[in-house]
Each structure stands twice: as structure tokens, then as C-alpha cells.
Amino acid sequence: MPDSNNKASAYDKYINYKRFSIAVAAFVILLLIPIPDSMLDVGVEYAMGESYVLDFYTHELYNISINDAEQWQVLTARVMEGCMRQGALSKEIVVKRNLKSIKKMGIEASEKLYERHIAFIKQLDAVKVNDIMTRARDLRYEKLSYSMLSDEQKKEADQAAKHIHVCIAMVAFVVICFITEAMPLPGVAFCIGLILVFSGIVTRTEVAQLFWSDACWFIMGSLMFAVAFVRTGVDKRICLIIFRSLAKPSIGWITLILIMVIAPCASFISDHALAAIFLPIAMILYNNSLNGNQAEDRELVKMLMITIAMACNIGGFGSPSGGARNVIMMTYMEDMFGITMGYGQWIIYGMPFVLIMIPILWIVINKRFKPKIRDLSPALESLKADISRMGGWNRQQKIAIIIFLLMLAGWITEKNLLLNLIGVRLGIGVIAVAGAVAYLLAGVVNWRDYQEKVDWGVVWLYAGAIIFGRTLDQTGTAYWIARSIVNGLANIGLDSGLALLGAGSAVTAGLTNLMADGPAAASVGPITLNMAAVSNPGTSLIPFMGLATACASSFAYLLVIGTPPNAIVYSSGYLEAKDFLRVGIICLVCSFIVLLILSMFYWPLIGFAGMPAA
């Protein structure tokens, strides 16, 4: 971590009104453009689609309106509507939805209501359930139109379309501000909140709640435990353990080892945690490399920071544990098409991407950055001297490691083992903050350490990024973008086979740089999976499309807000937004090419569960 006297370079700058005026002009121009029909269609779908579908279900199942239905009947309609939105159109999937999974869908129900719902569904004919759900899907996505609505409903649809319109303009404003750094980036995060409140998309109460999500707590907690590592000297010990065996510790070998360690680990361990662990290690390497002759080498520190972020990003596709996006696509494939993919099976398809990207990333990093300091031997010698003066592991260092290992265990098990033990889902953010508080309670750090050495601007920056992504998802903006692009590509013949797979991957890669990987995959996945099923029914193109969408949702190489590792390394204070583009654009192109090569040659070679090729 940089010392307290070393302010982040981007934060030292004042607003650049020339660049900022471009962002504002783009925002205003897009707002002045009339709302297109496709946007109004999505507005109708998001504003009235659910109520129309629920009423359709109760009429078909019970011959009554949703307003006259009993609670258990409403529950059945809501569960079927939720399954339909996930692309699951069968009785088998509806029955599989237990009380716990129903609550995850945002549907509250008592045990008694759930039992009546399940008893009713089980006695229905499977063909009838599939037919009803298919017609409900057609109603929501195809038949429901603006002309069908009452005047009051039209107002709601107009408002929903207006919200999408504002969000599209906000996308242009935010992207321009982030790329040009027209103003300090935490300021952009607050602008996002202000735009959403002034436009009426969220209320003042909602925006305050959105700023403190679990992901924001994780960023804050992880930066705090990084401070504890630096404060106790644990970062130096870990750094020396990793690199001490190098005969010639050049920057090339250092970056290669970083990538080879981080990328595979990111397939199984939270990339957030890996970025937070390796950030202080990289800072130790940089600070110990400086001397009287070379008091600063910005290229070196930027090279180390970007290496950590990009290594985290390329590793996410390697296994189902690599990110929520992977699990989301596995669930979609099983629910929509009954295609089950095991943990080890995913690794067979996904890990080759990680292994191929490791040398590619290493070459790109070393070509794009030209540090003056190439030999890091002095850094390691200085580390050895520092550790020699420390002596053996002291009490604070042992406590720091123990607390971190407990946090790491909590992150790995909080979805299953920890949840079963205590009956409460904590989330990775709560565990990270609990670890930060544990460091205070154990006397490892004091609040002044956190106050001076945590980059609080990055916490607010990522809070704004979370609001930004959630709004794109919840308003239907991400869905509109994905649908518009995929349908546009279909009009020019890119709606089948490899062309569809490439188009879906490109759309996902674009969205994942604007929002979290999970929502990006969730927005694009149902569209591209259904198109794959229509163009090549019953073929391996369907699971390959799911794999490609999950893979592309990890291509968050371009913007600080694209993924937590990007934000965490940005907190070092040495990076500018354009530094991500220096490597990110090339990595994006290379990743896309590797993905297409795998989907053209490797995946068809091993096939998928006996399914015919597309």
C-alpha cells in the first residue's frame, strides 16, 4: 500500500471541464432522442409483464382472476412465473423448487402455503403445465403490446421506458467519465446516485441502501485486512516465501509467477480475496526496488498492479467456483433444457482457457509496460534483511495470519457449511468486515491505520459501480441492450452456429465491463440459449453457448468498475483509468479469439454427453 503521504495521482486532479462537457453533452443528446419502439416494448414487458402473466396463470389453472385467487393459488402462479423467467418451462422444474429456492426467487411463503402449492402442481398433467408456461412466455415476450394496456397501465409502461432511456444516457456519461477521468472517479460514483434520484428511478432512501451492498463491504473489509498485513509485516514474509527460490528475480519472472499463482487460484478462490492478498505484496516489491538512483518507476508499479487484476480476471472461468456467472449458466442449462454439467466436467471445458491465457497475458503485460527497473534482486535482498531484523514470527503476525485464514475459510464455506452451522447466510462482505474488526479487537491495528491507509475513495467508487450495474439489470436496460444487439445481429444472419456463439459472447463481454458478471450472464444467457435451441435444437451448441456466455462474462478488462480486483488494485493510488485499457483491449481481443478457437475445435472434439454436433 502507498504511504499516507503519497496521494493517489488521479485524486489530485481537479475536474477537466472540456472532457466533462463531452460526457454531459452525450448524456443530454441521448435524452433528447425519442424513445424507440423496442425500448417501449421492454418498458411494457417490465412494467406490466408480470401482472399479465400472473393473471393468465390463475385464469388457466383456476378460472379466476389473480385478484380473486387464494394465497396458495397466487403462490403457484408466482412460482411458475419465476421459473418461466428463468427459462424453465416444465412441471419437473416447478416441483423441484423447494421453499428455500422459492425464497431466493424473492417469493415469500409459509410452509402450509407451499405444501398446498406442491400438492396442486403434482396432480397436474406435465404436458398441460408445459403448454401453459409456453403460452405465458409467448404472452410476456411476444404478444403483450402497448395497445393492449389501459390508460393507467400505459403511464406505467411509459415510465419504465423512460427509466431505460435515462439509464442508456447514464451509460454514455459514466463510460466517458471513466475513460477520460474527466473528474475524480469517486465523484462519478456519486453522480450515478444523483442521476438516479433526480430522474425518479430510485428514491433517496433506496439510493442510500444501495450504496452499502455486501460487495462494498467486501471491498472495504479486504482493504482493511491488507492494511493489517502491511502493519505487521506479514506481507513481506508472504512475498519472500513466493519469490525467494528465484535464481534471477527479473520483472519477467516475477510477473509470470504472479500470473501462474493467481489465475488458477481465481478458478477456486474469490478473485476479490486474491487481489487484496497480492496488492500489498506487489507494493512491497515496488517500494523495495527503489533506491537513490531510481526514486520512482511508475511503469513498474503499474505493471505489477495490472498483472494482479488481469490474472484474477482470466482465472474466473476455470471452475464453477470461479464466479456466480458460472453457477448461473449451469442453472439455466439445467432448468431450461435439462442439461446437467458436473463440477469436474466444467473444469475440463473451462480450465484450458485459463492455461492458454496465462502465457498470452504474460506476453501482453511485458510488451505494454516498459519499467526502468528490470532486476528485482535488490528488492528481495532488502526483504531478506527486513525479515532478518524481525526475527521469528511474532505474536501480531501470527494473529494476523490466523484471522485471515478464518476469513478465507468463511468465504469458501459461507454458502454451505457455515450457513448450515449457524443458520444465517453471512455473505463475503460481512465476513471481511468481521475480520477487520477482529484485527482491532486483537490489537493488531488501530483505527488510525485504517483511516490513513485504506483508500476510502475506492470503496465509494465500487459502491457507485454496484448501483450502476443493479440499475441496468432491474430497469431492463441490460436486457434491452442485449436483446437489441442480438436481434440486430440475427437480422444479418448471425443467429446460428458459431456466429451466434460469437455474437452472444461479444454482447456479454461488453455488458460485463459495465456491471457485475452475474447480472451480465443472467441478462444475455436466456436470450442466446433460446436462440441456440431454436437454430440448432438438441445439439451441443446449447451447452457450448452456456459455457461461452460464462467465459465472456469474465472479460471485465477495460474499466475500473468492471470487477472488484480492478477496483482493489486501483486503490494502490498509482493507476489511472487508461492503464486498464493499455492491456485490457488486447486481452479482450485475445480472450475472444481463444474462446472461439476452443468452441470451434476443442469443445466439439470432446463433445457433450453424446449430444450431436451443431
Side-chain angles (χ1 to χ4, degrees):
M1 307 289 287
D3 61 57
S4 58
N5 297 321
N6 211 358
K7 291 184 180 179
S9 59
Y11 296 171
D12 292 331
K13 300 176 182 177
Y14 290 92
I15 187 169
N16 183 312
Y17 284 103
K18 183 177 180 180
R19 297 173 185 173
F20 187 71
S21 63
I22 296 173
V24 173
F27 180 78
V28 173
I29 290 170
L30 286 172
L31 282 182
L32 294 176
I33 296 174
I35 296 175
D37 291 340
S38 61
M39 197 174 287
L40 186 58
D41 287 341
V42 174
V44 171
E45 185 180 314
Y46 268 68
M48 305 309 306
E50 181 178 345
S51 61
Y52 266 77
V53 167
L54 291 177
D55 196 57
F56 171 81
Y57 278 132
T58 54
H59 272 105
E60 290 292 320
L61 296 172
Y62 317 111
N63 201 30
I64 55 176
S65 166
I66 186 70
N67 296 322
D68 298 323
E70 296 182 34
Q71 286 183 307
W72 71 269
Q73 294 171 327
V74 173
L75 174 62
T76 298
R78 287 179 60 80
V79 172
M80 292 178 71
E81 193 273 338
C83 290
M84 182 207 74
R85 279 190 286 108
Q86 295 174 345
L89 307 178
S90 70
K91 172 185 173 180
E92 180 185 3
I93 298 300
V94 177
V95 172
K96 277 185 179 179
R97 293 288 188 263
N98 56 28
L99 194 57
K100 181 180 177 181
S101 60
I102 286 174
K103 288 181 178 179
K104 284 184 178 179
M105 295 165 67
I107 303 171
E108 291 296 328
S110 67
E111 188 72 38
K112 181 177 284 189
L113 290 177
Y114 174 74
E115 288 174 357
R116 292 196 66 180
H117 147 71
I118 282 294
F120 176 78
I121 289 293
K122 284 182 176 179
Q123 56 87 33
L124 290 177
D125 179 69
V127 175
K128 178 182 179 181
V129 172
N130 179 261
D131 176 65
I132 292 173
M133 296 184 76
T134 300
R135 287 189 286 132
R137 181 187 64 183
D138 292 341
L139 171 64
R140 175 163 183 155
Y141 296 118
E142 303 294 338
K143 295 180 180 179
L144 185 61
S145 64
Y146 190 74
S147 60
M148 296 169 59
L149 307 183
S150 66
D151 290 340
E152 192 64 32
Q153 291 172 333
K154 285 179 179 178
K155 290 181 182 179
E156 291 185 44
D158 289 337
Q159 186 73 2
K162 177 187 171 185
H163 288 171
I164 298 174
H165 197 202
V166 172
C167 286
I168 291 295
M170 183 175 66
V171 168
F173 172 82
V174 170
V175 171
I176 292 172
C177 282
F178 270 107
I179 292 176
T180 64
E181 289 188 302
M183 65 187 299
L185 298 191
V188 181
F190 287 113
C191 285
I192 292 169
L194 291 172
I195 290 171
L196 295 178
V197 174
F198 275 101
S199 62
I201 295 176
V202 300
T203 66
R204 57 190 174 86
T205 303
E206 290 169 339
V207 78
Q209 293 172 342
L210 286 169
F211 263 110
W212 285 108
S213 68
D214 186 63
C216 299
W217 273 48
F218 180 87
I219 293 287
M220 181 171 64
S222 62
L223 293 178
M224 286 175 165
F225 90 67
V227 167
F229 272 26
V230 174
R231 175 74 174 76
T232 59
V234 168
D235 57 334
K236 295 181 179 180
R237 293 191 181 277
I238 295 175
C239 183
L240 190 60
I241 290 171
I242 294 173
F243 299 112
R244 72 186 309 163
S245 61
L246 288 179
K248 187 179 180 181
S250 65
I251 185 59
W253 278 109
I254 293 289
T255 51
L256 180 60
I257 289 176
L258 284 173
I259 297 169
M260 290 179 67
V261 171
I262 295 172
C265 286
S267 295
F268 304 95
I269 301 173
S270 165
D271 56 1
H272 315 41
L274 287 167
I277 292 168
F278 279 90
L279 172 61
I281 292 172
M283 292 308 306
I284 283 290
L285 285 171
Y286 173 65
N287 290 327
N288 283 28
S289 298
L290 303 178
N291 53 51
N293 297 325
Q294 191 70 51
E296 184 180 63
D297 189 347
R298 290 276 173 167
E299 282 289 280
L300 174 60
V301 70
K302 289 179 179 182
M303 184 179 189
L304 293 169
M305 295 298 115
I306 295 294
T307 297
I308 293 170
M310 297 301 163
C312 287
N313 292 334
I314 68 171
F317 180 54
S319 86
S321 305
R325 56 190 174 270
N326 301 341
V327 178
I328 286 172
M329 295 313 300
M330 291 173 75
T331 304
Y332 275 161
M333 287 189 286
E334 182 172 0
D335 287 354
M336 294 170 70
F337 307 104
I339 297 173
T340 302
M341 187 175 294
Y343 194 97
Q345 190 178 15
W346 184 285
I347 293 175
I348 291 172
Y349 290 99
M351 191 56 72
F353 173 84
V354 180
L355 299 178
I356 293 171
M357 283 302 300
I358 285 174
I360 292 175
L361 175 60
W362 179 72
I363 292 170
V364 172
I365 289 284
N366 282 272
K367 288 290 184 182
R368 295 297 292 156
F369 292 98
K370 301 297 181 183
K372 296 175 183 176
I373 299 174
R374 307 290 304 182
D375 183 8
L376 300 187
S377 298
L380 294 187
E381 291 301 321
S382 177
L383 267 181
K384 290 177 183 177
D386 288 344
I387 292 173
S388 178
R389 285 192 293 270
M390 285 183 197
W393 285 76
N394 60 37
R395 177 181 173 275
Q396 284 193 323
Q397 291 172 343
K398 291 176 182 177
I399 292 174
I401 284 291
I402 290 170
I403 292 174
F404 167 72
L405 291 176
L406 289 174
M407 276 197 299
L408 185 61
W411 290 330
I412 295 171
T413 63
E414 60 94 16
K415 291 182 182 178
N416 37 65
L417 178 61
L418 197 57
L419 175 61
N420 292 332
L421 286 176
I422 66 175
V424 177
R425 175 77 188 275
L426 297 179
I428 60 173
V430 171
I431 293 172
V433 172
V437 172
Y439 284 126
L440 286 173
L441 296 176
V444 174
V445 297
N446 58 37
W447 187 257
R448 180 65 63 187
D449 294 319
Y450 288 158
Q451 176 68 28
E452 294 180 350
K453 296 175 183 177
V454 170
D455 189 337
W456 298 101
V458 166
V459 177
W460 288 110
L461 166 62
Y462 204 72
I466 293 295
I467 295 176
F468 184 60
R470 282 190 179 178
T471 304
L472 296 186
D473 181 37
Q474 292 173 359
T475 59
T477 305
Y479 172 72
W480 177 81
I481 293 172
R483 195 180 77 166
S484 299
I485 295 174
V486 172
N487 288 344
L489 293 171
N491 292 334
I492 59 176
L494 301 180
D495 60 347
S496 63
L498 183 65
L500 174 60
L501 192 146
S505 301
V507 174
T508 310
L511 280 177
T512 199
N513 281 281
L514 300 175
M515 57 196 298
D517 50 35
S523 296
V524 180
I527 300 171
T528 52
L529 283 172
N530 277 309
M531 291 185 72
V534 170
S535 64
N536 298 84
T539 69
S540 59
L541 178 65
I542 299 170
F544 292 168
M545 178 61 75
L547 287 163
T549 302
C551 184
S553 64
S554 66
F555 296 174
Y557 306 129
L558 303 180
L559 300 179
V560 178
I561 60 172
T563 183
N566 291 2
I568 288 171
V569 300
Y570 184 78
S571 72
S572 66
Y574 290 104
L575 292 174
E576 296 178 281
K578 62 185 178 183
D579 293 318
F580 291 93
L581 298 178
R582 289 173 65 180
V583 171
I585 293 174
I586 300 174
C587 278
L588 183 64
V589 173
C590 291
S591 296
F592 192 72
I593 292 172
V594 171
L595 174 58
L596 289 183
I597 291 173
L598 289 174
S599 60
M600 289 172 62
F601 301 107
Y602 174 65
W603 293 348
L605 180 65
I606 59 178
F608 189 88
M611 297 178 72

